[in-house]
Amino acid sequence: QLVVSGGGLVQSGGSLRLSCEASGFSLEWYAVGWFRQAPGKEREGVSCISSSDGKTRYSAPVKGRFTISRDNQKNTAYLQMNSLKPEDTGVYSCAIVSGSCSIDNENIYAFWGQGTRVTVSS
């Protein structure tokens, strides 16, 4: 399973770090994607990191503020979120896929963790 943690309430400009911990399998063989769903909106891709070369991708709204990383020793992927804005509010989920990752096509992801809520107050 994938266990997502780290969400919470933070003021605008603050930071949070989300974790996506895998259990029962080795995360290092999978690309990891982070997605979010804001209230009343469709889910959108935020960032992803490949398994083979660690290549990362970010959506335009978060580029320069969010950083995705992975620690294969801890079997965990992270999403460091800095300079948070109220529009970053939503439920954040992680997912895994064999092969290349994508932030544009969530249908390639085979397995999803539960979401964690992030609320950014103005």
Side-chain angles (χ1 to χ4, degrees):
Q1 62 176 348
L2 294 171
V3 178
V4 182
S5 62
L9 173 64
V10 64
Q11 289 188 334
S12 181
S15 298
L16 285 173
R17 188 177 79 157
L18 306 184
S19 298
C20 174
E21 182 177 8
S23 63
F25 64 95
S26 181
L27 191 63
E28 69 176 307
W29 306 114
Y30 296 91
V32 179
W34 283 98
F35 295 80
R36 70 184 181 188
Q37 186 166 21
K41 295 187 177 180
E42 292 188 355
R43 187 162 57 191
E44 63 175 346
V46 173
S47 182
C48 69
I49 184 167
S50 68
S51 59
S52 56
D53 56 10
K55 189 173 294 185
T56 59
R57 298 180 184 177
Y58 298 94
S59 65
V62 309
K63 196 168 186 178
R65 300 187 297 121
F66 290 11
T67 303
I68 191 171
S69 62
R70 62 193 303 154
D71 185 339
N72 291 332
Q73 296 292 329
K74 294 183 178 180
N75 222 25
T76 302
Y78 303 96
L79 185 68
Q80 177 67 43
M81 307 187 295
N82 298 329
S83 302
L84 283 161
K85 305 175 181 180
E87 51 263 44
D88 294 318
T89 294
V91 176
Y92 286 69
S93 304
C94 68
I96 58 171
V97 59
S98 297
S100 300
C101 70
S102 171
I103 57 172
D104 300 313
N105 183 10
E106 66 175 53
N107 293 322
I108 67 171
Y109 289 87
F111 190 70
W112 292 75
Q114 91 288 0
T116 186
R117 188 173 299 276
V118 172
T119 303
V120 185
S121 63
S122 58

